[in-house]
Amino acid sequence: MKIHNRQSYLTSQSEGKPRNRKAPKLTQLIYFLVLAILFFYIVYFFVSRTLYITEVGFVEIQKTNISSERGGKIISIPLKEGEKFKKGALLATISAAKTCHTIVDKRVDNVAFDIDEQKIVLDGLLGELALLKQIQSENEKRENNAVRRALEINASLNSSRFDNLQDQLELKNKIALQRAKLANLESRMTTLGNQVDTTMLDPGCSQESILAPADGHVFALRRQSNEVVTRAEEILLMVADDADVFIEVYLEAELYKNIADQNTMEVTFPDGQESIAQILEVNSSAYTTPDREWNDYQPVVPNLQVKLAPKDESDIALWKKFDRYQVEVRGEK
């Protein structure tokens, strides 16, 4: 029996060179690019933190609080949220707070009293004149009935008629003077009527109509019809068409000197558009830190509240487009 040392076909072949694989090199290149990008990002982050102030701000359009001057029940609010209106449009109607009563100006009241008094005097003079005319008429009748004693009676009648006519003339002069006084008082009353409202009502006795101070739209309704509001309580918020727009950003207090040395900052909006903002105000602010509370004491961290506005008026529309959005604010250190 023969035993042959048979070699495997695979092991009997020459080794040769391994195939050149490209996949590992490509993977290494990707790793290298990722590390390079990460490295440059870290460098950019620290450099930007060193050279620039970068923080998040919030865009805010100035809103007007519409409230009642005296309070009461809301009768109606004819507008809805987002609805536009013109200046002078009715925004809300508030019910009367109490029963009406008239307040008359004292000067007008005094002149009115004088007019009434002079009218009484004038009526008396006119009555006296009418009485004299009646007496004259009766005397003329007596003359007609006493024809037979014409000569004697005529002499006395002529004397009586002369006295009567003289009295009438004096009364007519008094009446003319009295009418002139009345005309003067009525003219004075007209002048006072143009200066003061003679039927002025207590504001609390009439309905309060709240009118729009400018063109704009309703931003938010805080109350509904039939609800009761107190004085100066917010009923709705409106945004005027020409309302100001600004950005509020909070920075560390240590950056005050850097902010004070510059007038503008760069703003980047969510869609990538950029704008230049002008620094309007820099105010001090603070917030508590409950996580660092110790023995019922919460440390207060001071910071800065910076208010920005568009430097270029052409950017106002862009700013208003992103009302209540977060934006990136950047300035130099």
Side-chain angles (χ1 to χ4, degrees), residues 40-289:
F40 284 113
Y41 176 78
I42 293 173
V43 171
Y44 170 78
F45 177 78
F46 283 103
V47 170
S48 62
R49 295 282 293 182
T50 305
L51 301 179
Y52 298 98
I53 301 170
T54 304
E55 194 55 74
V56 173
F58 294 88
V59 183
E60 186 73 26
I61 298 178
Q62 185 179 15
K63 299 170 180 65
T64 303
N65 177 18
I66 302 299
S67 59
S68 172
E69 292 183 357
R70 62 172 184 266
K73 183 179 179 181
I74 300 176
I75 297 177
S76 66
I77 301 178
L79 301 175
K80 299 178 181 179
E81 289 188 2
E83 188 171 350
K84 294 185 177 181
F85 52 79
K86 294 292 184 180
K87 181 179 180 180
L90 181 64
L91 299 182
T93 304
I94 310 298
S95 64
K98 53 186 176 181
T99 306
C100 299
H101 62 278
T102 304
I103 302 174
V104 181
D105 187 270
K106 290 183 178 180
R107 295 175 299 169
V108 177
D109 194 21
N110 292 336
V111 174
F113 178 80
D114 292 340
I115 289 176
D116 292 338
E117 186 179 23
Q118 297 301 324
K119 282 183 178 180
I120 293 173
V121 175
L122 179 60
D123 291 340
L125 293 175
L126 291 173
E128 189 175 350
L129 179 61
L131 180 60
L132 287 176
K133 288 182 178 181
Q134 184 179 0
I135 292 173
Q136 181 183 2
S137 176
E138 291 177 355
N139 288 337
E140 290 176 353
K141 289 180 181 180
R142 290 193 189 97
E143 290 177 1
N144 294 330
N145 293 331
V147 176
R148 289 179 299 177
R149 301 175 58 189
L151 294 175
E152 297 177 3
I153 296 175
N154 276 340
S156 62
L157 282 176
N158 286 336
S159 176
S160 175
R161 182 182 299 175
F162 177 78
D163 293 338
N164 188 290
L165 292 175
Q166 189 174 7
D167 292 340
Q168 288 187 36
L169 182 60
E170 291 178 358
L171 279 174
K172 288 180 179 179
N173 291 334
K174 290 182 179 180
I175 290 172
L177 180 62
Q178 195 65 26
R179 284 176 174 167
K181 289 182 179 179
L182 275 175
N184 185 28
L185 288 173
E186 289 173 350
S187 175
R188 186 180 174 191
M189 173 70 85
T190 303
T191 303
L192 288 175
N194 294 332
Q195 296 175 357
V196 295
D197 185 7
T198 58
T199 58
M200 181 176 58
L201 299 177
D202 186 342
C205 71
S206 60
Q207 292 183 355
E208 180 185 1
S209 297
I210 303 176
L211 305 180
D215 296 350
H217 68 274
V218 178
F219 179 78
L221 293 176
R222 303 303 190 194
R223 292 291 181 269
Q224 301 295 332
S225 298
N226 298 322
E227 291 185 351
V228 177
V229 293
T230 58
R231 180 183 179 185
E233 185 176 357
E234 186 178 286
I235 298 176
L236 60 88
L237 280 177
M238 64 160 283
V239 176
D241 290 344
D242 58 351
D244 295 331
V245 60
F246 54 89
I247 293 175
E248 280 189 355
V249 58
Y250 291 87
L251 304 173
E252 297 177 357
E254 292 78 8
L255 298 174
Y256 175 76
K257 186 176 180 181
N258 304 90
I259 295 297
D261 292 338
Q262 54 188 312
N263 297 322
T264 60
M265 300 185 75
E266 297 179 3
V267 178
T268 303
F269 293 95
D271 62 350
Q273 297 188 71
E274 295 184 349
S275 176
I276 302 298
Q278 182 178 2
I279 299 176
L280 292 182
E281 299 177 3
V282 179
N283 302 315
S284 62
S285 180
Y287 63 93
T288 59
T289 55

